[in-house]
Amino acid sequence: MPYKKIYLDYAATPPVAPEVIETLITHFRATDSFANPSSIQHGFGETAQSLVENARQQIATHLNCNAKDLIFTSGATEANNFVLKNVATRFKEFGQHLITSATEHKSVLDCCRFLETQGFQVTYLKPDNSGLINLEELADSITENTLLVSIMHVNNETGVIQPIEKIAEITQQRGVLFHVDASQSVGKLEINLAKIPISFLSFSAHKFYGVKGIGGVFARNCAKLKLPPLIHGGGQENGLRSGTLPTHQILAMATALELAYQNQTNDYQHAITLKQRLLSHLQELEGITLNGSQTATLPNIVNLSFEGVSADSLIIALRDDVAIASGSACNSGAMEASYVLRAMGIEGEQLYGAVRLSFGRYTTLEDMDYAAQRLCEEVTRLRQFTKN
Ligand code: PMP
């Protein structure tokens, strides 16, 4: 087999779309839009500002929300920190209880842990074996003291989709705020903020083929909330997040989102085809378990365990030609067993053998054939190794 290098870690970050690179280059080369978008005393600054505001409007149109309710951040980690910490602090007189799930991204869970040290109580809902939280349990957990529910849309390790529309109905009925970490779903699934009563939504450009270091947060009726600033300084983003706006990154994010919407159906279908191709190759192996719901899931993330094979040894065996991961990128350095799968009640071999394959727009069927064949080879080799 000719040697290749295949990248199957799109959930950590996919390659930047060529059209996004084009936007960046065009912007960098332009001689009239490089100015500080806050320097509106002159035409250069005004041009930069209008580009930024057009991009904000473009993003708002896709999410069907008011552009004034969008705040640019460095990504979803910052957006999640903003919502969890600043909103909780701002409204603590209305309640000091938060509800989240045990399978959230660390940027939500660690904020919750921090808030616990500040006197807040947090309920961590445990999902079932398929990764889905129980909505009755969620509703039952809401008390008079509950301020905010924070549940992610799509899980970054399993691809499992939580029913955010139903959760939003519950939170609206019960009068509590609802935050959605939509890092893995924006651009992949329809999110209509005019229809779904979500209070806050976090997103990150590099998850939808944009560049790293830019993202945002939607905060419904932002001006009325009178939230404390995330970063103090020059007063950008209506005083909520000071710092010179990175025009190039914001324009690149708008292009990436535009593309994601244009390609949404094709990207989705392509991911299904790739997943089917992968699974059909893997049929030649026995002892495979797919982790997480296979119905409420995005097709571009496949989490699976190979009986008798540890994730570490498989990842290392494939390291030179097929890039796969054992969990979220933020944790994979430590090669620890996934807390997400553990929370789903997965244990033993299935837990320690779990790997994540994630792919997308630029993954070809040939890439998948090669990767699947290499997976089969290495799983067979490692199984023989452990038998002897
Ligand atoms: N939430 C989820 C679900 C994610 O997958 C990620 C990225 N791994 C983040 C938050 C953090 O996003 P960012 O890299 O933009 O800080």
Side-chain angles (χ1 to χ4, degrees):
M1 215 180 352
Y3 174 79
K4 285 193 176 197
K5 260 187 183 296
I6 312 293
Y7 182 79
L8 296 184
D9 201 14
Y10 273 54
T13 201
V16 176
E19 296 88 338
V20 170
I21 297 173
E22 216 34 65
T23 295
L24 287 167
I25 293 172
T26 307
H27 174 70
F28 284 136
R29 291 218 170 109
T31 51
D32 62 346
S33 55
F34 60 86
N36 188 324
S38 299
S39 301
I40 48 168
Q41 301 94 330
H42 49 70
F44 288 91
E46 256 176 11
T47 305
Q49 192 197 46
S50 79
L51 287 176
V52 165
E53 292 315 316
N54 286 345
R56 197 191 305 271
Q57 184 54 58
Q58 220 178 329
I59 296 166
T61 303
H62 286 307
L63 297 174
N64 208 358
C65 68
N66 188 337
K68 290 199 173 98
D69 290 343
L70 287 178
I71 306 149
F72 293 125
T73 63
S74 64
T77 296
E78 188 184 317
N80 288 342
N81 270 260
F82 177 58
V83 175
L84 271 290
K85 297 199 291 214
N86 292 34
V87 172
T89 315
R90 163 77 179 86
F91 295 113
K92 66 172 186 263
E93 73 207 76
F94 299 106
Q96 299 194 17
H97 173 235
L98 312 177
I99 300 171
T100 189
S101 89
T103 55
E104 295 297 304
H105 190 262
K106 284 276 179 182
S107 54
V108 166
L109 292 177
D110 279 5
C111 285
C112 288
R113 300 269 179 236
F114 168 75
L115 288 170
E116 283 177 307
T117 69
Q118 306 299 302
F120 286 84
Q121 295 95 48
V122 184
T123 300
Y124 300 91
L125 298 172
K126 241 175 108 78
D128 63 14
N129 198 249
S130 73
L132 287 163
I133 57 162
N134 182 319
L135 298 189
E136 257 176 54
E137 199 185 325
L138 167 73
D140 289 346
S141 306
I142 298 176
T143 68
E144 284 197 344
N145 195 30
T146 306
L147 178 63
L148 176 81
V149 171
S150 180
I151 301 289
M152 71 198 324
H153 195 186
V154 169
N155 185 274
N156 47 305
E157 292 194 29
T158 58
V160 169
I161 307 169
Q162 301 293 348
I164 55 166
E165 295 83 358
K166 289 191 184 139
I167 299 172
E169 255 174 55
I170 298 172
T171 50
Q172 190 183 39
Q173 267 169 17
R174 304 288 295 272
V176 297
L177 299 167
F178 179 32
H179 167 238
V180 177
D181 174 357
S183 304
Q184 295 287 345
S185 62
V186 163
K188 297 193 182 76
L189 292 175
E190 202 56 46
I191 301 175
N192 186 340
L193 290 170
K195 284 215 176 122
I196 318 173
I198 289 170
S199 323
F200 304 97
L201 183 121
S202 309
F203 55 93
S204 180
H206 77 97
K207 302 292 184 185
F208 49 87
Y209 306 93
V211 289
K212 293 159 201 69
I214 187 75
V217 59
F218 157 79
R220 194 178 293 279
N221 299 323
C222 189
K224 285 195 192 143
L225 297 178
K226 298 203 175 356
L227 293 166
L230 173 62
I231 298 177
H232 293 88
Q236 287 88 347
E237 298 299 82
N238 292 321
L240 286 173
R241 203 246 184 205
S242 289
T244 303
L245 287 168
T247 315
H248 61 294
Q249 285 178 313
I250 293 167
L251 300 186
M253 175 157 69
T255 300
L257 195 58
E258 185 72 42
L259 269 172
Y261 274 82
Q262 277 169 20
N263 292 312
Q264 203 169 32
T265 313
N266 284 349
D267 283 353
Y268 193 85
Q269 276 311 322
H270 183 54
I272 290 179
T273 310
L274 289 166
K275 180 173 176 177
Q276 282 169 347
R277 188 77 155 233
L278 169 71
L279 297 183
S280 81
H281 278 291
L282 295 183
Q283 270 174 2
E284 76 179 63
L285 292 174
E286 287 184 355
I288 296 180
T289 313
L290 288 168
N291 299 313
S293 168
Q294 293 304 300
T295 45
T297 188
L298 271 188
N300 60 301
I301 300 180
V302 178
N303 193 306
L304 71 179
S305 309
F306 300 93
E307 204 180 288
V309 178
S310 78
D312 299 11
S313 50
L314 187 56
I315 290 167
I316 291 166
L318 290 167
R319 204 184 147 77
D320 286 339
D321 56 349
V322 185
I324 61 169
S326 63
S328 72
C330 316
N331 293 324
S332 58
M335 288 258 186
E336 279 171 9
S338 156
Y339 69 87
V340 170
L341 298 185
R342 214 189 271 275
M344 288 159 60
I346 294 172
E347 47 189 31
E349 252 195 2
Q350 195 184 338
L351 173 68
Y352 288 95
V355 290
R356 176 186 72 181
L357 279 61
S358 51
F359 36 85
R361 198 180 292 160
Y362 308 113
T363 313
T364 65
L365 284 172
E366 292 72 38
D367 291 343
M368 196 50 100
D369 288 341
Y370 179 88
Q373 214 173 324
R374 288 285 298 119
L375 261 172
C376 291
E377 275 171 22
E378 290 304 330
V379 166
T380 309
R381 190 181 65 81
L382 289 165
R383 278 178 177 166
Q384 270 166 359
F385 190 65
T386 41
K387 252 193 232 154
N388 295 332

